[in-house]
Amino acid sequence: MSLLITETNLRSLVDALVKDATLVVGPKLSGSVVLYQPLAAGDDLTLDELPRRSAKELYFPVCEDILTYKRENGKLEVRDIDRSRFPETVLIGAPPCDAGSPSILDAVFSWDYNDEFYLERRRKSTIMGIACTKGDDACFCTAVGLAPDAKGGSDLFLTPLVGGSFRCEPVTEKGQALIDKHAGLFSEGAAGEAVAFADQSTGKLDLPKIKEWLNGHFEDPLWESIADICVGCGACAFICPACHCFDINDEGNPDSGTRRKHWDACGFSKFTNHASGHNPRDIQNKRYRNRIMHKFKYYDDKFGKTLCTGCGRCIRACPVGIDIAEILDTINKKAEQG
């Protein structure tokens, strides 16, 4: 016997969570595109469609205040942001490429310094992942060790079944707690047949071989050939579930203002620009090389994880058609050739 929930009850679960003052975020049709957005009701939930942008904005906002300052009567008062106001949040309907990204990012945000803004949002979130039933030619999750039914990162995992219901699997205590609190919406029964995955994605890559090639090819004509195309717009980084570069700026005047964290990208020409004017990554081939090295070598060296979930968003968003999966496949073949 399996734990099941109908689509009607899944939407009713959204309604119940919203009624409990929980922030519910999920895929929602916004104009002509699907985005992760707050859901006001279960009917807002759009299923079986990969949102245009990733879900990382839920834990790592595009821009957020980290402190405010104000000068009064000759004294400067600095106030921290009250992180206790971050809402309890349920992310619902995240495919494995999105559900799995926070568990990758956890490493860097709790490494030598605990980023409490990120970590508090993570503590207050529950992720309801869902298995993919289709993928396009930009998908390559299997190439980086994930799968359309990978449960990693989910607290509760849904598998679409023929007929419209979902098999529910609690993965963590958070997931089980959500089920227990709304037990009336779930039932036990025969799971039936899972919806078959319509696979158009890239096959597996040999990541250890790719990393080995990267170890010995810091200088290689490949980087220049890519740089001849790349325009350094940063779209690939901003739309990626795993990229996490940011900058911190003070905005205001000497009497009052706000310190803010903003997304940044290693593909930008000024990302590594020193105050002296020296820029160690002064041309685009060095910047794109860093992107590949960071995702498939440096992060793995440091944390034992690949900084990519194979969602394919960077491929779809690139204005000049750079395909990271093709680049990895090229490196894979070079590695096999020795």
Side-chain angles (χ1 to χ4, degrees), residues 100-120:
S101 67
S103 60
I104 296 173
L105 293 176
D106 287 349
V108 73
F109 284 114
S110 59
W111 169 42
D112 60 343
Y113 176 80
N114 288 333
D115 185 324
E116 289 298 335
F117 292 87
Y118 172 88
L119 296 175
E120 182 68 10

Side-chain angles (χ1 to χ4, degrees), residues 17 229 247:
L17 290 167
I229 305 170
D247 194 6

Side-chain angles (χ1 to χ4, degrees), residues 192-211:
E193 182 182 357
V195 175
F197 177 66
D199 188 8
Q200 302 178 47
S201 61
T202 304
K204 289 185 178 296
L205 295 170
D206 192 330
L207 294 179
K209 277 190 175 181
I210 289 173
K211 183 182 175 183

Side-chain angles (χ1 to χ4, degrees), residues 72-242:
E72 286 186 325
N73 301 320
K75 293 183 178 181
L76 184 66
E77 180 184 23
V78 178
R79 291 185 178 181
D80 290 328
I81 301 301
D82 184 2
R83 295 186 295 273
S84 68
R85 295 184 180 181
F86 294 172
E88 294 290 337
T89 303
V90 173
L91 171 61
I92 185 169
C97 58
D98 283 334
S101 67
S103 60
I104 296 173
L105 293 176
D106 287 349
V108 73
F109 284 114
S110 59
W111 169 42
D112 60 343
Y113 176 80
N114 288 333
D115 185 324
E116 289 298 335
F117 292 87
Y118 172 88
L119 296 175
E120 182 68 10
R121 289 187 174 93
R122 285 284 281 137
R123 283 189 284 266
K124 289 186 171 180
S125 66
T126 300
I127 300 176
M128 293 182 64
I130 187 168
C132 287
T133 58
K134 61 182 179 182
D136 62 21
D137 57 3
C139 294
F140 63 105
C141 71
T142 55
V144 294
L146 294 180
D149 58 353
K151 301 175 181 63
S154 294
D155 297 299
L156 175 63
F157 193 74
L158 305 176
T159 301
L161 303 174
V162 174
S165 293
F166 302 85
R167 183 170 66 243
C168 309
E169 300 172 73
V171 182
T172 68
E173 292 181 359
K174 283 184 180 180
Q176 187 60 58
L178 188 147
I179 291 171
D180 292 344
K181 186 173 181 179
H182 302 278
L185 297 174
F186 298 85
S187 62
E188 290 190 351
E193 182 182 357
V195 175
F197 177 66
D199 188 8
Q200 302 178 47
S201 61
T202 304
K204 289 185 178 296
L205 295 170
D206 192 330
L207 294 179
K209 277 190 175 181
I210 289 173
K211 183 182 175 183
E212 183 181 351
W213 187 89
L214 293 173
N215 278 330
H217 292 81
F218 190 77
E219 300 289 349
D220 193 273
L222 173 66
W223 309 124
E224 291 186 16
S225 67
I226 299 169
D228 286 342
I229 305 170
C230 180
V231 294
C233 67
C236 53
F238 277 30
I239 210 163
C240 172

Side-chain angles (χ1 to χ4, degrees), residues 107 211 297-306:
K211 183 182 175 183
K297 173 176 159 48
Y298 302 150
Y299 206 81
D300 189 16
D301 286 344
K302 189 73 180 177
F303 302 116
K305 299 181 179 185
T306 297

Side-chain angles (χ1 to χ4, degrees), residues 24-88:
V24 184
V25 176
K28 178 182 176 181
L29 186 63
S30 179
S32 61
V33 299
V34 174
L35 302 171
Y36 285 111
Q37 292 191 327
L39 306 179
D43 288 343
D44 289 343
L45 180 64
T46 298
L47 297 170
D48 204 28
E49 189 76 31
L50 181 71
R52 178 73 61 87
R53 300 200 303 265
S54 79
K56 76 176 176 186
E57 298 174 31
L58 189 60
Y59 314 99
F60 176 39
V62 177
C63 178
E64 66 176 328
D65 296 350
I66 58 177
L67 63 80
T68 61
Y69 63 91
K70 187 175 184 180
R71 189 186 303 275
E72 286 186 325
N73 301 320
K75 293 183 178 181
L76 184 66
E77 180 184 23
V78 178
R79 291 185 178 181
D80 290 328
I81 301 301
D82 184 2
R83 295 186 295 273
S84 68
R85 295 184 180 181
F86 294 172
E88 294 290 337

